Amino acid sequence: MCRQDTALLRGDWGSARFSIEIADDVAERAQGLMDRTSMPMGAGMLFVYERPTTLSFWMRNTLIPLDMLFIDARGVVQYIHHNAVPLDESPILGGDDLLAVLEINGGLAARMGIEEGTELRHPAFSGRLAAWPCDD
């Protein structure tokens, strides 16, 4: 089942479901998870862009450690940055040709075994290119 407020992940490691907020415009992406002191373990934020691009993030005004899953237009995780340091303004380069980033609590990706190649199911990754389309 595909819903705007849910991200499903699957891979050789197993599967997971996250309740998510969407950041899909300039203002929402700029705010992100800034100034929050906590986030529930099964929650996250999905940053979605209009077209594939080079993505780089930082932790300005972000108070909690985060794992960042950088995702291509097919909904496949291409890179994971583990445990981004709160308040660090160093750029975190995710790579090229990316459509989205899923931020979850720091350390969770490693604990769950989430790895590059994991597929994400969400309406943002629809159509014939999606690795795990919503319509199956």
Side-chain angles (χ1 to χ4, degrees):
M1 157 168 83
C2 274
R3 297 173 29 159
Q4 286 292 332
D5 64 351
T6 304
L8 303 173
L9 287 87
R10 71 177 182 187
D12 292 340
W13 54 271
S15 63
R17 174 187 307 262
F18 289 92
S19 297
I20 58 167
E21 297 174 59
I22 300 291
D24 62 359
D25 66 34
V26 173
E28 291 170 344
R29 290 189 298 250
Q31 178 63 36
L33 292 170
M34 287 181 179
D35 302 317
R36 297 189 192 190
T37 57
S38 67
M39 182 168 60
M41 200 52 63
M45 181 172 279
L46 183 65
F47 295 76
V48 181
Y49 293 81
E50 291 76 21
R51 68 191 61 81
T53 188
T54 300
L55 293 179
S56 180
F57 276 48
W58 62 358
M59 295 289 287
R60 173 180 281 175
N61 297 326
T62 305
L63 307 175
I64 54 176
L66 297 171
D67 288 346
M68 298 176 184
L69 286 64
F70 292 86
I71 304 161
D72 69 15
R74 298 173 303 133
V76 177
V77 176
Q78 297 298 309
Y79 172 68
I80 300 173
H81 183 88
H82 297 273
N83 278 308
V85 177
L87 305 174
D88 185 359
E89 294 190 13
S90 303
I92 299 167
L93 184 60
D96 300 324
D97 295 320
L98 300 169
L99 186 67
V101 177
L102 177 62
E103 291 183 343
I104 59 176
N105 281 290
L108 192 54
R111 282 197 303 277
M112 295 180 76
I114 298 170
E115 57 194 9
E116 293 171 5
T118 291
E119 297 173 347
L120 189 140
R121 187 179 207 190
H122 183 269
F125 309 97
S126 59
R128 58 185 170 83
L129 292 180
W132 189 13
C134 285
D135 53 356
D136 68 336

